[in-house]
Amino acid sequence: MHEEWLGRLSEYLDGELAPAEQAAVEAHLAGCAECRRVADDLRQVIARAADLPPLPPDRDLWEGIATRIREPE
């Protein structure tokens, strides 16, 4: 049972679930300490990632991508 809910936590935290699914996850979290702990850990990861500065690429990759797009197969 946990695997089903653990697999949906990212969607839940990102607000991507339908209201009924969101309510089902919340009901499960209310009674499952293990899943609640994982959800709390994911919340911390999300918060820390939001604090990271933007990291631009070392070089511009578009020229190589554009060339491959234009090349005939």
Side-chain angles (χ1 to χ4, degrees):
M1 186 69 156
H2 291 288
E3 296 305 317
E4 174 188 348
W5 298 111
L6 288 173
R8 306 297 310 263
L9 289 178
S10 290
E11 295 170 275
Y12 167 74
L13 294 172
D14 291 341
E16 297 174 349
L17 297 178
E21 293 173 310
Q22 179 134 346
V25 173
E26 289 170 356
H28 178 74
L29 291 175
C32 181
E34 179 183 350
C35 289
R36 202 167 41 249
R37 180 187 52 77
V38 173
D40 290 342
D41 288 347
L42 287 172
R43 283 185 186 99
Q44 289 180 7
V45 170
I46 292 167
R48 288 181 181 164
D51 289 340
L52 292 173
L55 183 61
D58 293 335
R59 59 190 172 91
D60 184 11
L61 301 174
W62 179 246
E63 185 177 329
I65 294 169
T67 300
R68 288 185 183 136
I69 291 172
R70 286 190 296 261
E71 288 178 357
E73 293 183 28

